[in-house]
Amino acid sequence: MLMVLKRLVLLSLAAVFLLAACAPQVTPVESDSDPVISLGGELYQANCQACHGGATGGSVTDIPPPHNADGHTWHHSDCLLTEIILEGSPPRPGLPEGVGPMPSFEGQLTVDEVAAILTYIKTWWTEEQREFQAEITDRLCQ
């Protein structure tokens, strides 16, 4: 019985290490000395965090979606994200009770402030997600 228990513990530990190795690894972007990231963090906390949450938690199916590595923001170009933030999104069917469409932040945030927010949330993504999103931005934004 003791031998079976030891094997079970070893298998459990091996599974934990294997799963940890497979999880997406976020490589932090140094933000202490970057004033754009600092500004983006302040603006995100003031305008976005109450609905979208912070750097951890959430899933791609959450509404409103998180902007971290578990969300899908990194699938979109900077120009589309800027448009959504400044213009909001149209109402759509199927939103949960009490959840409305994305409001417009035009007149509250400038284009430069939106860029700072995007720079800040990119610090939450994996290196691969940042590279993918940069390619989409290069391809779609003129």
Side-chain angles (χ1 to χ4, degrees):
M1 178 70 169
L2 186 57
M3 194 63 144
V4 171
L5 184 58
K6 284 183 180 179
R7 284 185 183 168
L8 183 58
V9 168
L10 286 173
L11 284 173
S12 297
L13 286 173
V16 167
F17 286 116
L18 181 62
L19 288 173
C22 294
Q25 300 297 310
V26 176
T27 305
V29 173
E30 189 62 42
S31 62
D32 293 342
S33 61
D34 189 326
V36 173
I37 293 174
S38 295
L39 174 63
E42 292 171 19
L43 292 167
Y44 185 88
Q45 289 175 353
N47 296 285
C48 315
Q49 188 161 326
C51 294
H52 292 280
T56 62
S59 77
V60 74
T61 59
D62 288 351
I63 297 175
H67 294 307
N68 58 34
D70 296 328
H72 68 268
T73 307
W74 60 273
H75 293 141
H76 304 297
S77 66
D78 283 355
C79 51
L80 177 60
L81 294 171
T82 300
E83 179 182 314
I84 292 169
I85 293 168
L86 292 177
E87 297 178 15
S89 63
R92 64 178 222 238
L95 289 177
E97 183 77 26
V99 175
M102 171 78 178
S104 167
F105 282 86
E106 192 166 34
Q108 291 176 264
L109 295 171
T110 66
V111 171
D112 289 340
E113 289 172 329
V114 171
I117 291 170
L118 294 178
T119 300
Y120 172 70
I121 65 172
K122 290 174 187 182
T123 66
W124 301 343
W125 302 345
T126 66
E127 185 62 35
E128 292 80 15
Q129 289 169 333
R130 286 192 288 268
E131 289 173 7
F132 178 88
Q133 198 272 341
E135 289 174 16
I136 289 175
T137 295
D138 288 344
R139 197 173 55 218
L140 298 178
C141 301
Q142 302 297 328

